[in-house]
Amino acid sequence: MPIFEYVCRDCSRRFEQIVMGSTRPACPACESEDLEKQLSVFAVSTRGGGVPGEGAGACGSCGDPRGPGSCAID
């Protein structure tokens, strides 16, 4: 089940939603279907071919750009 990130073009709310099959996502705040799909933190890589967790970068648990240990997720 893929999780996608969206920004609503009507009310500017950012949210994530599980989208299955031909389901059309809608904003949970205003129910608009006029959405802009965002790139997921987990789908974007700033390094190529390295070992996960090697060197500086986003937190591997939550994607916090301040790096590992910056968030409350352990």
Side-chain angles (χ1 to χ4, degrees):
M1 291 182 274
I3 299 175
F4 294 104
E5 298 176 29
Y6 297 95
V7 173
C8 178
R9 289 186 177 118
D10 289 342
C11 72
S12 301
R13 179 174 176 152
R14 293 180 170 270
F15 63 97
E16 295 176 346
Q17 191 165 14
I18 296 174
V19 180
M20 299 180 347
S22 62
T23 305
R24 294 209 22 115
C27 176
C30 70
E31 299 181 7
S32 171
E33 291 184 358
D34 188 11
L35 308 173
E36 180 179 335
K37 190 183 286 188
Q38 302 293 293
L39 291 177
S40 172
V41 171
F42 298 103
V44 177
S45 176
T46 58
R47 303 188 310 264
V51 176
E54 180 178 278
C59 177
S61 298
C62 72
D64 190 314
R66 296 174 293 173
S70 298
C71 65
I73 298 174
D74 291 304

